[in-house]
Amino acid sequence: MCGIVGYMGSQEASQVIMNGLKMLEYRGYDSAGICTMDLGDVEIRRSSGKLVNLERLLNEQPLHGTIGIGHTRWATHGKPSVANAHPHKGGAVVVVHNGIIENYLALKEELTSRGHTFLSETDSEVVSHLIDENLKTATSLEEAVRRALKDLQGAYALCILSQMDDKTLIAAKSGSPMVVGIKGDEYFVASDMPAIISNTREMVIMEDGEMAVFRNGGVKFSTLGGEEIIKTPRYIDWSPLMAEKNGYPNFMLKEIHEQPRSIKNVIAGRLHVDEGDVFFEGLELDDSALRAFERLCLVACGTSWHAALAGKYMIEEYCRIPVDVEIASEFRYRDPMVSKKTLVIPISQSGETADTLAALREAKSRGAHIVSICNVVDSSIARESDGVIYTHAGLEIGVASTKAFTTQLVALYMLAIRLGRANGIIDLGKGQEMIAALGRLPALVEKTLELDPQIEEVACEYLTCWDAIYLGRGISYPIALEGALKLKEISYIHADGYPAGEMKHGPIALIDREMPVFILAPNDKHLVKVRSNMEEVITRGGRVVAFCSEGDLETGKRAEFALQIPWGGEALSTVLFAVALQLLAYNFAILKGKDVDQPRNLAKSVTVE
Ligand code: AGP
């Protein structure tokens, strides 16, 4: 996710925008830029790295003018660099963009054939050229923008300027956040309120499919189709800090609730429904190259390792390819048995985890082909891989991984479709069925998030416990591990995850009234066995909380609590159960007064051994 700011008023635009960008730096900071309009000319300054570099550049080469747009970048397409920094200029048009344009490659090809020259690797630059192309026939910048937006697929929050019209600033929103601040005849546009709140508290929240045209001290709100709409400003009495978290009390809860959007982002532009297949822009291996691998080796740490373990279940089930799952800190010292016939897949949110990077290098030195799954574009692991599948989860600030984890699960599910289609195990119909399940997932995550009040009740009931066990069978076992880790790392309650079938081999000795047993019981092929495991616990006086599938009123009858998790299909239900367990850990931690964003002893990225 990136941060955009626009301004029209009586002040020096560059100063207002720079102040706004500083309040959005938590949204991403790998490059930044500002454009202002002065005496009919647009001037742009851009820099890579943190905002302070842009500030330094502006001190040396100031910008003037009272209309402007600015951007702080979290790279999704194209590495962090000045060339990829926003604002992007296409002909007479300058834009800043937050979101993902899914059909940018096709648009770029078409515009290139019409003589447009592209200077960046980004999806966003396409928007400036597309509007510029429409300016050739439109009667106004506003009309050119409306026409161009009709051709865009994906998510965007845009601020737009044009050399052809030095009195107009346009903002448009679909799928990415945007607010407008109003102070007399001054107007502020931004991704989030923190960029505006020091100037005014009178704000308009833009909705998807809406546009704002600022001109000569006034503003006109309309639909993208041109129908004028009335937007009434609201008085926002949040503190700037609250505004940075978009009203959430902390980043972790904000990121838990961002998961419907982050899952849309990891899917965006990658589903080829007609072919029942998936396309990864960073995976340059054709079907025959994929078929040549004898096995896969997924290597990671922590939560990412749990995603890898779930990925094993998906890929082996849907593709019938052997998958090893390795803890990076073990793999790297074991003289690992990999060769050029092994596809090694490091999984890392940060792309900087030292053990995972070292494991990548070990595998590479033995001739393995490396395709990593990362969230941070151009991170060390991404750069040293032969190919990268980005999860596009956006910046994850909470130390406990939430949206990064669920987007890893979705990326692995999509990889399973790609591999299964490449080796013919998944046919067209099955591929289309699996893709349809993906399309339903964001709404099911929204529905799972609504369980929070019930989940909070569970946390209240067992708040004084010092130990907990999470049980799951099959693909729910990695989710049980992840649930236990979440509880440990933010509430400091000891917890373990086990395969439910393992209870009788030792852990059942732990059962007593003091230790809750959280059992994942989705309505899959393991349900009958899981019910038996539940009985084993209950008959020994254990206290069970059952996470069942929606509509299953049987399984939880003897449990102390029974949560009904929406059904997303056997593989994708892991995402929904994971969200429920994130909320469980979160509620425990908050009730215990813990700092969920920065738990003790932890770091967001473990760049040391
Ligand atoms: C998970 O909540 C932790 N933050 C931690 O286990 C993390 O998953 C692990 O350190 C790996 O980090 P990475 O995904 O950035 O490589």
Side-chain angles (χ1 to χ4, degrees):
M1 60 187 181
C2 306
I4 67 171
V5 178
Y7 173 71
M8 173 184 278
S10 51
Q11 303 178 60
E12 276 291 350
S14 66
Q15 194 51 59
V16 173
I17 292 167
M18 176 54 80
N19 294 338
L21 291 176
K22 284 177 182 174
M23 294 309 292
L24 295 181
E25 201 159 15
Y26 68 90
R27 295 180 64 84
Y29 39 70
D30 57 44
S31 57
I34 293 179
C35 168
T36 57
M37 178 86 79
D38 187 27
L39 306 174
D41 264 339
V42 291
E43 285 274 334
I44 298 175
R45 302 285 183 271
R46 299 184 298 178
S47 67
S48 63
K50 290 198 178 256
L51 267 179
V52 66
N53 298 338
L54 179 63
E55 199 162 29
R56 197 173 296 125
L57 179 60
L58 287 170
N59 289 335
E60 292 157 10
Q61 303 170 37
L63 285 172
H64 300 292
T66 59
I67 306 179
I69 58 179
H71 186 276
T72 182
R73 185 164 182 247
W74 167 263
T76 57
H77 293 71
K79 62 182 176 299
S81 66
V82 173
N84 289 333
H86 303 215
H88 287 295
K89 188 168 185 290
V93 176
V94 184
V95 304
V96 290
H97 168 235
N98 175 31
I100 291 181
I101 305 300
E102 297 177 20
N103 60 333
Y104 82 97
L105 288 173
L107 290 171
K108 190 168 182 175
E109 206 171 305
E110 167 64 19
L111 290 161
T112 303
S113 70
R114 292 169 179 254
H116 291 260
T117 305
F118 285 83
L119 304 176
S120 81
E121 306 160 310
T122 68
D123 56 327
S124 308
E125 187 187 356
V126 157
V127 180
S128 58
H129 290 275
L130 187 60
I131 298 170
D132 184 61
E133 180 65 22
N134 279 283
L135 264 180
K136 292 173 183 170
T137 52
T139 56
S140 69
L141 175 60
E142 181 181 344
E143 186 189 329
V145 170
R146 291 187 194 286
R147 287 188 194 171
L149 296 185
K150 283 198 182 81
D151 290 339
L152 293 187
Q153 293 167 20
Y156 56 78
L158 291 164
C159 284
I160 301 151
L161 290 175
S162 166
Q163 227 154 318
M164 310 296 277
D165 178 349
D166 63 356
K167 299 272 185 304
T168 302
L169 164 67
I170 294 181
K173 182 232 192 283
S174 179
S176 295
M178 179 184 278
V179 293
V180 172
I182 298 172
K183 185 183 177 187
D185 59 359
E186 284 190 288
Y187 296 94
F188 309 80
V189 184
S191 304
D192 265 347
M193 294 181 187
I196 296 178
I197 207 155
S198 58
N199 295 293
T200 176
R201 288 174 181 269
E202 292 294 329
M203 299 216 200
V204 163
I205 311 295
M206 296 289 280
E207 303 294 341
D208 284 352
E210 293 184 346
M211 201 163 120
V213 180
F214 306 90
R215 188 176 173 75
N216 297 334
V219 58
K220 184 184 77 178
F221 295 102
S222 67
T223 64
L224 297 184
E227 183 197 339
E228 193 154 355
I229 47 181
I230 305 300
K231 302 282 286 182
T232 309
R234 285 168 41 192
Y235 181 79
I236 303 295
D237 59 2
W238 285 348
S239 70
L241 192 61
M242 270 184 74
E244 196 172 323
K245 294 165 184 140
N246 209 12
Y248 288 100
N250 49 62
F251 283 110
M252 182 176 180
L253 190 61
K254 178 170 179 273
E255 288 155 7
I256 287 173
H257 284 265
E258 279 177 349
Q259 290 180 107
R261 164 52 51 201
S262 54
I263 287 167
K264 285 177 186 168
N265 285 347
V266 68
I267 294 171
R270 291 170 159 172
L271 304 185
H272 287 195
V273 179
D274 295 345
E275 297 95 294
D277 207 339
V278 164
F279 166 77
F280 289 113
E281 63 282 358
L283 179 68
E284 278 102 34
L285 292 168
D286 61 18
D287 288 5
S288 59
L290 289 172
R291 281 196 296 269
F293 293 113
E294 287 168 353
R295 67 189 177 91
L296 271 56
C297 174
L298 279 57
V299 59
C301 300
T303 286
S304 298
W305 183 78
H306 297 151
L309 193 54
K312 171 188 174 70
Y313 284 87
M314 294 180 197
I315 294 167
E316 289 192 345
E317 171 163 355
Y318 294 122
C319 314
R320 308 311 297 154
I321 302 171
V323 179
D324 295 330
V325 179
E326 298 278 359
I327 288 180
S329 55
E330 292 295 311
F331 177 83
R332 63 180 291 195
Y333 295 113
R334 265 214 352 258
D335 192 8
M337 296 175 71
V338 294
S339 73
K340 66 180 187 315
K341 290 279 189 188
T342 314
L343 176 57
V344 172
I345 303 178
I347 301 176
S348 175
Q349 187 285 128
S350 62
E352 300 300 342
T353 300
D355 286 322
T356 309
L357 181 56
L360 179 160
R361 290 168 176 163
E362 282 298 323
K364 201 165 189 177
S365 69
R366 288 164 171 76
H369 191 86
I370 313 289
V371 174
S372 57
I373 296 177
C374 285
N375 191 37
V376 178
V377 171
D378 211 37
S379 53
S380 301
I381 288 172
R383 283 200 310 274
E384 297 193 26
S385 300
D386 300 307
V388 192
I389 294 172
Y390 285 116
T391 50
H392 298 320
L395 192 59
E396 186 174 70
I397 295 170
V399 167
S401 190
T402 50
K403 61 178 183 173
F405 175 64
T406 49
T407 51
Q408 289 169 344
L409 292 176
V410 173
L412 285 158
Y413 177 85
M414 292 162 73
L415 180 60
I417 296 173
R418 178 76 287 274
L419 293 168
R421 296 289 284 132
N423 66 17
I425 302 284
I426 296 178
D427 65 17
L428 174 63
K430 179 65 178 171
Q432 288 174 328
E433 181 193 310
M434 292 175 75
I435 283 172
L438 273 173
R440 294 189 291 269
L441 191 59
L444 293 176
V445 172
E446 291 286 6
K447 206 170 170 193
T448 306
L449 291 168
E450 291 167 8
L451 292 171
D452 189 46
Q454 297 174 50
I455 293 172
E456 184 181 7
E457 258 187 75
V458 172
C460 286
E461 175 66 25
Y462 303 105
L463 194 57
T464 57
C465 79
W466 285 99
D467 214 335
I469 278 192
Y470 290 69
L471 300 178
R473 279 183 181 262
I475 200 167
S476 293
Y477 164 45
I479 307 308
L481 292 174
E482 174 59 13
L485 176 62
K486 282 284 141 324
L487 188 68
K488 275 185 279 205
E489 64 179 332
I490 61 174
S491 71
Y492 315 147
I493 295 170
H494 179 257
D496 276 328
Y498 282 101
E502 269 298 287
M503 276 300 283
K504 51 191 174 295
H505 300 286
I508 204 160
L510 293 171
I511 298 301
D512 62 21
R513 297 288 301 164
E514 305 311 312
M515 181 183 69
V517 180
F518 302 115
I519 297 186
L520 309 187
N523 190 7
D524 62 16
K525 55 181 175 276
H526 302 290
L527 182 56
V528 170
K529 294 288 183 195
V530 171
R531 283 178 179 169
S532 311
N533 298 138
M534 194 183 299
E535 275 312 307
E536 288 164 13
V537 174
I538 294 171
T539 48
R540 289 166 177 77
R543 305 178 66 189
V544 168
V545 175
F547 291 79
C548 312
S549 289
E550 201 164 40
D552 172 4
L553 304 177
E554 188 56 35
T555 301
K557 268 187 177 158
R558 298 236 305 136
E560 289 193 352
F561 290 86
L563 284 300
Q564 305 269 310
I565 310 297
W567 178 248
E570 192 150 326
L572 293 179
S573 289
T574 53
V575 170
L576 306 171
F577 279 76
V579 169
L581 296 184
Q582 290 166 4
L583 289 172
L584 180 65
Y586 176 82
N587 278 293
F588 264 108
I590 292 297
L591 289 168
K592 291 176 80 80
K594 304 302 181 191
D595 177 351
V596 291
D597 280 346
Q598 296 176 338
R600 68 187 182 197
N601 310 334
L602 289 179
K604 184 61 188 169
S605 173
V606 183
T607 55
V608 294
E609 287 196 31

